[in-house]
Amino acid sequence: MWGKILGFIFGFMFGKIFGAIFGLYLGHMFDKSLKKDFDKAGGFSNLFKGDDVNERQALFFSSCFAVMGHIAKSNGRISEVHIKAATLFMDEMGLQGEERREAQHAFQSGKENDFSLKETVQDFKERFAKRYDLLQLFLEIQIQMAFSDGVLAEQEKLLLQEVSKQLGVSRAHFAFVLKRYQAEFSFRQQQQRYKQQGQSSSYREDSGHHVPPNNNINRTQALALLGLNDSATAREIKLAYRKLMAQHHPDKLVSQGLPKHMMELAVKKSQDIQAAYEYLKKSA
């Protein structure tokens, strides 16, 4: 309330009726606890700089790393695996200098005892309420951090469920996204193993010990990555593929507020979706 009152008074003093209206608007934004969002995006210095996309990108960036830090500390301490995962995450984004320090600061803030997961995610959702694809990608990134050691601890799962709830994602859809990411994680690992096997396949063939990939396991994982089960038809596979590719299109996500540094995440997810679809076409 005080933000509105003071904003109105000072605005009227300097700009009469139009100044009062503008002051009232700024005061209202502070009264709604949006000061935290302004700080994340650079405070008032950024309110009059750049455009709405830049502000959304700043908020996505800071909120993402803060929640990642909170989830990483879910068991009371941050493991070496989670630290390596966060570092790799920053490396993949090409963060250096001030940008890397900002990411580290946000990650550290999520580890603090007074960090409010609920408030942070609610503020994030309010800013991206009509951008469902970005909300889902935000959730997928947090799942990726929690699953960085290949195991989802119970406390990590509870926190992810809380993030999902605050984002407005149903429990059923959260379970669907989680299962899809687990399949993506396993499929990516198998693809990497097969590439390594391919590099030494000539040796195995010469020695008579070549073992072909397990197509049944791969097909199940590829289908799960697309959110399907073993009974999916060719038409269902194509529709699921097109839907996921549209959801993870890097250029579209950046235009909606995904930081450009995080475009690589969307690119990798698109590549995984593409790889799964190509595999299913070949194995049909």
Side-chain angles (χ1 to χ4, degrees), residues 3-164:
K4 297 186 185 71
I5 294 174
L6 293 175
F8 181 88
I9 292 173
F10 284 109
F12 185 81
M13 288 174 60
F14 291 102
K16 299 302 181 182
I17 188 63
F18 291 107
I21 294 173
F22 185 65
L24 185 65
Y25 167 72
L26 292 181
H28 172 66
M29 294 179 83
F30 271 100
D31 287 340
K32 286 187 64 179
S33 300
L34 287 179
K35 182 177 184 299
K36 186 173 183 180
D37 285 357
F38 282 133
D39 288 341
K40 290 176 180 177
F44 273 107
S45 62
N46 261 1
L47 180 61
F48 301 102
K49 289 182 181 180
D51 53 24
D52 188 52
V53 173
N54 289 335
E55 292 177 20
R56 291 200 305 269
Q57 289 178 343
L59 179 59
F60 192 105
F61 184 88
S62 59
S63 300
C64 188
F65 277 102
V67 175
M68 284 170 62
H70 189 70
I71 290 177
K73 197 186 175 184
S74 60
N75 292 321
R77 59 179 295 274
I78 297 214
S79 69
E80 289 297 322
V81 174
H82 285 124
I83 292 176
K84 289 181 180 178
T87 301
L88 179 61
F89 198 73
M90 295 177 197
D91 290 342
E92 291 178 344
M93 291 172 60
L95 296 181
Q96 297 179 350
E98 185 62 28
E99 292 172 336
R100 193 177 187 94
R101 286 191 289 273
E102 288 178 5
Q104 292 170 337
H105 176 73
F107 189 84
Q108 182 66 35
S109 71
K111 295 158 50 181
E112 301 298 332
N113 293 330
D114 60 350
F115 177 77
S116 174
L117 178 66
K118 181 178 180 179
E119 181 180 347
T120 300
V121 180
Q122 283 183 340
D123 288 346
F124 178 85
K125 186 197 173 184
E126 181 177 338
R127 193 69 178 87
F128 293 95
K130 296 182 180 180
R131 295 172 173 84
Y132 178 77
D133 293 341
L134 277 181
L135 294 178
Q136 180 162 302
L137 181 62
F138 182 89
L139 177 60
E140 290 176 353
I141 291 173
Q142 305 311 325
I143 291 175
Q144 181 174 334
M145 166 54 69
F147 209 73
S148 59
D149 57 357
V151 178
L152 185 64
E154 184 60 28
Q155 186 59 28
E156 291 174 329
K157 186 174 182 179
L158 290 175
L159 284 176
L160 289 173
Q161 288 176 335
E162 179 63 21
V163 171
S164 176

